[in-house]
């Protein structure tokens, strides 16, 4: 009996040891059916993450956290995860440490950083050989922030209650009444403008019709002009215009020649006027016979005397021709 009891106790101890070993392996994500690999992730802060916490991908558990240690530089936290080797991560994978439940358990969630939902996170990329990490705020931090927000909201509400007195309410009511009156006036103005716009639209429609008619008349005129330009009369008119232009060129040439002749005549006239001016200057200076005659009065008196004597001689010749002429025939 004692022998059997010892054997039973031994079996129970061995079973307990086996259960402990398998439980430890299960908690660490190690199974006999699946091989695992170690994957590093670099975090700036890991919150309440602990060894043995679950590692999930798309909500499925793929391993456990193996170890957590602060980097030698003290700037980051290295998290080693033991993950099943048959799981394929996205090309740009990242690790998010977040609360798994409201009872303090945490987990690491593997996500694709190219996803729109993941682009809002401030990823920590301290180690290029490790997965970038980001830790979500803890529930206690969220509660603390919520308390701060609640206190701020309370302060704002108290200030609103202080500012929003009965007088303020009356002013707001009066403002609403004024806004209603302004709205009615705006509605009336809009109706008037709508009527004016309708009339203006009708006038524009009439104007457009008139413009269309004018365009048709212009088109008809252009068509007639094309017809006239294509006729033989236009060719004859062009020929006549060419003849007139040729005649005008000839007349212009003749006028040019005449102008040249006139210029030559004016040059000779200028020369003649110069001679006349020179003679007039000599006469005025008393040079020459005519000049002395004009300047010397005694010559004029003698000339008048000579003319008087000549006149007397002519009269005597008429009265007494025999005194001067003797005619003898035989």
């Amino acid at each position: 009996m004692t022998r059997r009891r010892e054997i039973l106790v031994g079996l129970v101890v061995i079973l307990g040891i086996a259960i402990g070993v398998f439980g430890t392996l299960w908690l660490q994500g190690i199974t006999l059916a699946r091989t695992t690999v170690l994957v590093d992730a670099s975090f700036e802060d890991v919150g309440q993450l602990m060894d043995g916490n679950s590692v999930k991908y798309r909500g499925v558990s793929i391993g456990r956290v193996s170890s957590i240690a602060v980097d030698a530089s003290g700037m980051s936290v290295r998290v080693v995860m033991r993950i099943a080797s048959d799981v394929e991560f996205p090309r740009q994978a990242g690790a998010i440490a977040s609360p798994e439940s409201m009872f303090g358990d945490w987990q690491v969630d593997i996500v694709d950083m190219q996803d729109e939902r993941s682009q809002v996170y401030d990823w920590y990329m301290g180690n290029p050989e490790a997965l970038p990490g980001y830790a979500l705020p803890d529930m206690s931090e969220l509660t603390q922030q919520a308390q701060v927000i609640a206190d701020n909201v309370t302060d704002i509400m108290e200030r609103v209650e202080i500012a929003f007195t009965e007088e303020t309410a009356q002013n707001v009511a009066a403002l609403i009444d004024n806004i209603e009156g302004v709205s009615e006036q705006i509605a009336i103005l809009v109706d008037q403008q709508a009527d004016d716009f309708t009339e203006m639209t009708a006038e524009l429609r009439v104007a457009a019709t008139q413009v269309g008619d004018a365009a048709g008349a212009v088109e008809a005129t252009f068509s007639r002009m094309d017809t006239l330009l294509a006729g033989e009369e236009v060719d004859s008119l062009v020929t006549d215009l060419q003849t007139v232009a040729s005649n005008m060129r000839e007349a212009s040439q003749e006028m040019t020649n005449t102008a040249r002749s006139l210029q030559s005549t004016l040059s000779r006239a200028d020369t003649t006027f110069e001679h006349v001016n020179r003679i007039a200057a000599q006469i005025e200076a008393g040079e020459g016979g005519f000049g002395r005659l004009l300047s010397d009065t005694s010559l004029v008196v003698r000339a008048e005397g000579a003319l008087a004597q000549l006149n007397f001689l002519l009269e005597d010749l008429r009265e007494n021709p025999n005194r001067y002429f003797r005619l003898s025939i035989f």
Side-chain angles (χ1 to χ4, degrees), residues 30-195:
I30 302 174
T31 60
L32 298 177
R34 303 175 66 182
T35 59
T36 58
V37 293
L38 296 178
V39 178
D40 291 349
S42 181
F43 291 85
E44 187 177 8
D45 183 13
V46 294
Q48 301 298 324
L49 189 66
M50 300 175 61
D51 294 347
N53 287 148
S54 176
V55 179
K56 295 182 179 180
Y57 178 58
R58 297 185 182 275
V60 179
S61 179
I62 59 174
R64 297 282 176 176
V65 176
S66 178
S67 65
I68 301 174
V70 178
D71 190 75
S73 62
M75 301 299 294
S76 63
V77 180
R78 179 189 178 192
V79 177
V80 180
M81 300 172 290
R82 186 176 295 276
I83 300 173
S85 60
D86 57 348
V87 178
E88 294 183 2
F89 288 166
R91 181 176 300 177
Q92 294 185 1
I96 297 178
S98 61
E100 186 178 11
S101 64
M102 298 184 65
F103 300 101
D105 296 334
W106 278 58
Q107 67 178 6
V108 176
D109 193 9
I110 306 299
V111 298
D112 187 0
M113 291 193 300
Q114 292 183 343
D115 189 1
E116 294 182 357
R117 294 174 296 179
S118 302
Q119 292 178 359
V120 297
Y121 300 135
D122 187 12
W123 296 97
Y124 182 76
M125 299 181 181
N127 187 0
E129 297 180 356
L131 296 179
Y134 178 77
L136 294 177
D138 192 5
M139 293 297 296
S140 60
E141 295 180 2
L142 295 176
T143 304
Q144 184 178 2
Q145 293 295 328
Q147 183 63 34
V148 173
I149 294 172
D151 293 339
N152 294 332
V153 171
T154 302
D155 294 337
I156 293 173
M157 293 301 297
E158 290 178 355
R159 295 177 182 178
V160 170
E161 289 179 358
I162 294 173
F164 196 77
T165 60
E166 183 178 358
E167 183 179 358
T168 305
Q170 292 177 358
N171 293 331
V172 171
L175 178 62
I176 293 173
D177 293 338
N178 293 331
I179 291 174
E180 291 179 353
V182 172
S183 300
E184 292 178 356
Q185 294 178 0
I186 291 175
I188 295 172
L189 180 61
V190 169
D191 293 336
Q192 294 176 355
Q193 294 296 326
D195 295 336

Side-chain angles (χ1 to χ4, degrees), residues 298-314:
S298 60
L299 293 176
V300 175
V301 173
R302 288 196 297 270
E304 288 178 353
L307 291 174
Q309 292 177 3
L310 181 60
N311 190 15
F312 179 75
L313 178 61
L314 291 174

Side-chain angles (χ1 to χ4, degrees), residues 218-235:
V218 171
E219 184 177 2
T221 302
F222 284 158
S223 177
R224 293 176 182 174
M225 289 180 64
D226 292 338
T227 304
L228 292 174
L229 292 174
E232 297 179 355
E233 296 179 355
V234 175
D235 295 337

